Amino acid sequence: MSKGSNAPVPTTALRVELGWRSGPGVPDADASALLLVGGKVRSDSDFVFYNQPVHSSGAVRHEGKRDVGGRVTDCLLVDLARVEPAIETVILAASADGGAFGQVPDLCIEVKDAAQGTVVARFDSTGATVETAFVLGEFYRRQGAWKFRAVGQGYSSGLEGLATDYGITVDEPQQAAPPATPVAPPVAPPAATPPPVAPPVTMAPPAMPPVPPPAPQAPPVSLSKVTLTKASPSVSLTKQGGTSGAMRVNLNWQVRKQFSGWASKLGRPVAMHNDLDLDLCALYELTDGSKGVIQSLGNAFGALHQPPYLHLDGDDRTGAVSSGENLTINLDHQRAFRRILIFVTIYEGARSFADLHATVTLTPQHGAPIDFSLDECTVPSTVCALALITNTGSDLVVQREARYLVPERGVSPQRTVDYAYAWGMNWTPGRK
């Protein structure tokens, strides 16, 4: 499609993929959506992005990134049948993180039928220079049906400028005002003392009804996030202000193709079945010396308000970012933690993580969310260490591991992780 053109789209679930080609010096990019009435959002909840991934109606969901051979996509799922009748337009936007879109090659937006995978519309954005945010396209209602328009409108003020343009209240750090220079007050000449005067007699004014306090306002939207990489693999939760409340750890994934690459090279294709079952797990060590594992195997789901202060949600096989595999850590008891190792195992459906793209997101109740993607697996691994959380006594640090491990014959994935990180536990066979 050319800029400004439009095309009809089916009123169904559509997968919107923001795509570009990665490489050295190429900034990261993020997809977002805004649901508008009269050209503005009704409230900050009508903004869907990495910090607010699901709209309250369920019509729009941010599903996260995947990287296939250097081609990166960030995906939004838009179910037009579930968009509220008052919503007139769904804006589809992109923001650059760490540079401008002039440094992002092959930027495009592609709309696909979510069920069939067929391409409904595609717009390739060219000619970008200093823009750090773009409205690439929009869905809009016309005579009872939905259409897609290729927009291509750029902003040099980033995601913040784009969001505020549509009525979003953005939380930005306030800079302290410079200290005022003290000035001595002028000295007035002494005044003559007047004779005392009797105070006038006044009637008390009628009592006024108390003024009700103003309704509490929703907190502004925070656009901050932390992405861990090989070059910058760790972050301090203490410095981020994320040392209290509940922190959710989410794992979501997509299967790249039908067969796993390492097995195909060995001449033994291994199918990645639709019933692929990944299990998010955690090894913990507390300051009192107790150790254990959190996993669905053996129903070791843990507890949030008593030791070990970790809890695993129910098992999930979809990999969707709105569900996926979730583990919650109670940071109100962070002093009880010595170290926590988050890892994932393949329970069934595949023999390796090859051709599987996964993203890990840690979302503390306070502070910026932390995310990272796993590297491509090139070994016959059934277990991957994701992140190590360490309490140093003065700091709580999250370290990106993204480390694929290959169990020895007859050794379980859990024991393999234990050996790799010297946890020192005893293991017995278990099942779900």
Side-chain angles (χ1 to χ4, degrees), residues 104-130:
V104 180
D106 301 341
L107 179 67
C108 74
I109 187 170
E110 200 166 58
V111 181
K112 298 180 179 179
D113 185 297
Q116 304 296 326
T118 53
V119 178
V120 176
R122 177 186 171 106
F123 170 53
D124 291 273
S125 181
T126 59
T129 55
V130 298

Side-chain angles (χ1 to χ4, degrees), residues 220-236:
V221 172
S222 173
L223 304 182
S224 61
K225 68 170 184 174
V226 177
T227 298
L228 301 182
T229 63
K230 285 183 178 179
S232 181
S234 64
V235 64
S236 165

Side-chain angles (χ1 to χ4, degrees), residues 34 41 43-47 160 163-170 221:
L34 299 105
V41 297
S43 70
D44 291 349
S45 63
D46 284 338
F47 185 28
E160 179 184 342
T164 53
D165 197 34
Y166 287 101
I168 298 293
T169 305
V170 174
V221 172

Side-chain angles (χ1 to χ4, degrees), residues 168-190:
I168 298 293
T169 305
V170 174
D171 181 16
E172 55 181 335
Q174 300 294 320
Q175 295 185 353
T181 303
V183 178
V187 179

Side-chain angles (χ1 to χ4, degrees), residues 61-355:
R61 186 171 73 227
H62 180 249
E63 293 201 321
K65 295 185 176 72
R66 59 179 177 176
D67 185 341
V68 181
R71 181 71 185 176
V72 185
T73 56
D74 195 12
C75 181
L76 296 163
L77 186 65
V78 181
D79 190 346
L80 294 176
R82 299 179 65 179
V83 174
E84 298 157 293
I87 300 296
E88 302 163 348
T89 309
V90 179
I91 294 291
L92 306 169
S95 57
D97 185 9
F101 276 109
Q103 303 164 264
V104 180
D106 301 341
L107 179 67
C108 74
I109 187 170
E110 200 166 58
V111 181
K112 298 180 179 179
D113 185 297
Q116 304 296 326
T118 53
V119 178
V120 176
R122 177 186 171 106
F123 170 53
D124 291 273
S125 181
T126 59
T129 55
V130 298
E131 297 87 353
T132 49
F134 261 103
V135 174
L136 292 174
E138 63 181 14
F139 295 121
Y140 65 98
R141 297 184 193 265
R142 181 59 55 87
Q143 297 178 348
W146 285 96
K147 287 190 172 184
F148 171 79
R149 177 184 289 119
V151 178
Q153 176 186 347
Y155 292 74
S156 60
S157 50
L159 185 59
E160 179 184 342
L162 184 149
T164 53
D165 197 34
Y166 287 101
I168 298 293
T169 305
V170 174
D171 181 16
E172 55 181 335
Q174 300 294 320
Q175 295 185 353
T181 303
V183 178
V187 179
T193 303
V197 179
V201 177
T202 58
M203 298 295 293
M208 299 296 291
V211 178
Q217 294 184 345
V221 172
S222 173
L223 304 182
S224 61
K225 68 170 184 174
V226 177
T227 298
L228 301 182
T229 63
K230 285 183 178 179
S232 181
S234 64
V235 64
S236 165
L237 282 175
T238 305
K239 293 179 181 178
Q240 294 288 327
T243 55
S244 63
M247 180 169 71
R248 190 185 73 161
V249 181
N250 173 267
L251 172 73
N252 70 85
W253 62 89
Q254 300 93 22
V255 178
R256 287 189 175 115
K257 50 190 176 183
Q258 184 178 5
F259 298 107
S260 64
W262 72 270
S264 299
K265 291 176 183 177
L266 296 176
R268 299 191 303 274
V270 178
M272 303 287 281
H273 303 297
N274 291 331
D275 60 351
L276 174 67
D277 187 5
L278 301 185
D279 284 341
L280 189 65
C281 312
L283 288 175
Y284 64 84
E285 181 179 2
L286 303 184
T287 52
D288 64 5
S290 58
K291 300 176 183 179
V293 63
I294 303 298
Q295 59 180 5
S296 56
L297 198 66
N299 295 322
F301 291 99
L304 197 59
H305 300 292
Q306 62 187 39
Y309 308 111
L310 294 90
H311 184 263
L312 180 67
D313 290 359
D315 197 22
D316 181 83
R317 297 190 178 193
T318 65
V321 72
S322 60
S323 54
E325 290 277 311
N326 294 287
L327 174 76
T328 305
I329 303 172
N330 189 345
L331 295 180
D332 287 337
H333 297 273
Q334 54 111 351
R335 291 184 179 180
F337 300 130
R338 181 169 293 162
R339 56 177 179 160
I340 302 169
L341 180 68
I342 312 296
F343 66 99
V344 59
T345 67
I346 297 176
Y347 184 70
E348 63 181 17
R351 297 182 187 174
S352 169
F353 285 104
D355 300 321

